[in-house]
Amino acid sequence: MTKAVVVFSGGQDSTTCLVEALQNYDEVHAITFDYGQRHRQEIEVAQALAKKLKVTAHKIIDASVLNELAISSLTRDDIPVSNELQENGLPNSFVPGRNILFLTLAGIYAYQIGASAIITGVCETDFSGYPDCRNDFVKAMNHALVQGMERDLLVVTPLMWLDKAETWAMADHYGALSLVRENTLTCYNGIVGDGCGECPSCQLRKAGLDTYNGNKAEILKSYLDKQRSVV
């Protein structure tokens, strides 16, 4: 029996990954982190989606220590999300150490349930300036988890080389485009579905959907070609 753990926020990317995982694994466990994030509604959204999609199990993990340590517009309500980069070249929505912590905790959970894969929706193509969404980072974390737990474990990143339009194509390929569009929370201001339309996350999401809707056949082919090249 194959088992996978999906790092699941209830957003577009992780939901698309979850939909795919349900087609590829016998058991799919979703793990959601409560770190006092700005858009805390995402936890409720993730719970509703996990129930709707009938995952094997859905764990909510207390990761509030991250909120204490990492200052970001996503961990502090009094810091508005900005479209401008900071002096260090990173967006103020970057939460330092977030994916390091999430993949570490997901690895521990995978170890306990005997899962062979951790699936995360990070993406280098549309990585929004976050260094912990890059392929080199994921490879380094994968190596550390294997070395640290003496256990074969693969961190899978289905979206790594897809742009946002191709991510929409992926959801459509699995018959979940409407589900992802209407029921996920990507907006930094906590509005489900198409969101506020103003924050960087909403702008990226909308641009991808508009591009996909404008040329579905070609973009779907591009997505499928990339899938075949990975296999």
Side-chain angles (χ1 to χ4, degrees):
M1 177 176 287
T2 57
K3 298 181 183 181
V5 174
V6 177
V7 178
F8 185 51
S9 70
Q12 175 190 357
D13 293 344
S14 65
T15 302
T16 303
C17 289
L18 180 60
V19 168
E20 182 189 55
L22 288 165
Q23 301 294 318
N24 295 335
Y25 296 87
D26 299 315
E27 281 191 11
V28 176
H29 297 245
I31 184 169
T32 300
F33 298 100
D34 180 355
Y35 61 98
Q37 54 266 57
R38 183 189 196 95
H39 42 302
R40 291 181 55 76
Q41 187 185 356
E42 72 177 28
I43 298 171
E44 296 174 6
V45 169
Q47 288 175 315
L49 282 166
K51 184 177 181 180
K52 186 180 185 69
L53 292 170
K54 299 179 181 179
V55 301
T56 302
H58 182 212
K59 295 286 187 183
I60 310 295
I61 302 296
D62 181 359
S64 55
V65 64
L66 184 62
N67 189 285
E68 296 179 29
L69 297 174
I71 297 175
S72 160
S73 63
L74 296 192
T75 59
R76 298 292 185 275
D77 290 337
D78 60 345
I79 302 177
V81 178
S82 173
N83 289 314
E84 304 297 325
L85 297 180
Q86 302 175 97
E87 291 183 3
N88 61 5
L90 300 176
N92 78 345
S93 55
F94 172 61
V95 182
R98 180 170 61 174
N99 284 340
I100 296 172
L101 179 62
F102 287 2
L103 288 176
T104 299
L105 296 175
I108 297 169
Y109 182 59
Y111 184 97
Q112 294 300 326
I113 66 169
S116 60
I118 300 170
I119 301 171
T120 178
V122 298
C123 172
E124 185 158 321
T125 309
D126 281 330
F127 79 123
S128 302
Y130 298 166
D132 59 356
C133 289
R134 295 179 297 194
N135 193 50
D136 285 347
F137 161 76
V138 173
K139 286 183 174 180
M141 279 298 301
N142 200 157
H143 179 74
L145 289 170
V146 171
Q147 292 296 309
M149 296 193 292
E150 283 288 345
R151 167 80 181 282
D152 286 338
L153 186 65
L154 182 63
V155 180
V156 182
T157 54
L159 311 184
M160 182 57 73
W161 307 116
L162 304 184
D163 60 27
K164 264 293 182 284
E166 291 165 337
T167 301
W168 283 112
M170 179 177 171
D172 204 7
H173 175 69
Y174 287 105
L177 191 146
S178 293
L179 171 78
V180 172
R181 180 173 183 179
E182 296 169 9
N183 297 280
T184 61
L185 175 57
T186 305
C187 175
Y188 288 154
N189 291 311
I191 301 174
V192 176
D194 290 335
C196 70
E198 298 178 359
C199 72
S201 184
C202 283
Q203 291 175 359
L204 184 62
R205 174 178 164 131
K206 182 180 185 301
L209 182 59
D210 289 346
T211 300
Y212 177 60
N213 283 332
N215 196 359
K216 286 189 176 183
E218 184 175 328
I219 294 170
L220 184 58
K221 180 180 182 301
S222 175
Y223 157 68
L224 292 172
D225 286 345
K226 287 184 178 180
Q227 291 301 98
R228 284 190 283 268
S229 69
V230 170
V231 174

